[in-house]
Amino acid sequence: MRRKKKNLTDIYTKTLEYVQKFSHYTNRDTIKEARALLKPTNLEPFECTQLGNLCCTEYDEFKLLVPSIGDKIGDDDLDSLPKQLDSLKKYQG
């Protein structure tokens, strides 16, 4: 039983370290704003998550890494998303 608990603690610790290392949004308000920005796009939750986590700077990168979004968002809207997400990331308090 003790060994099993230690394994769970190790897994939790490693997962927490990974999330903290690669976390782009550290402020809850910023996370809410990013979600609100992506919500009206009619994308699947997976696609929204990818757009938020990948933090691409160009819409071509988004289309290349998540090809399914090309049919759901126009180029103009997709062009503004990386800039808006980057702005949120830079100015979080």
Side-chain angles (χ1 to χ4, degrees):
M1 179 70 170
R2 180 170 253 196
R3 182 182 175 136
K4 192 174 192 177
K5 189 172 186 175
K6 183 181 180 339
N7 284 343
L8 288 177
T9 304
D10 290 343
I11 292 169
Y12 173 79
T13 303
K14 289 177 184 178
T15 303
L16 181 61
E17 288 171 0
Y18 176 86
V19 169
Q20 289 173 336
K21 183 176 182 178
F22 293 103
S23 176
H24 299 290
Y25 304 101
T26 56
N27 181 309
R28 282 201 181 277
D29 292 332
T30 306
I31 294 168
K32 288 178 184 177
E33 289 180 45
R35 286 181 180 166
L37 184 65
L38 293 168
K39 190 172 186 174
T41 59
N42 295 326
L43 295 175
E44 297 296 323
F46 170 78
E47 295 163 330
C48 289
T49 302
Q50 292 303 310
L51 294 180
N53 288 337
L54 292 170
C55 292
C56 298
T57 56
E58 303 278 334
Y59 76 97
D60 287 334
E61 290 178 273
F62 278 143
K63 288 172 74 172
L64 181 65
L65 295 171
V66 188
S68 60
I69 64 172
D71 299 333
K72 298 177 181 178
I73 299 179
D75 286 346
D76 292 336
D77 292 332
L78 190 54
D79 187 37
S80 69
L81 273 176
K83 295 171 187 162
Q84 292 172 334
L85 289 170
D86 190 48
S87 176
L88 286 175
K89 188 174 63 172
K90 284 182 182 174
Y91 299 109
Q92 59 188 330

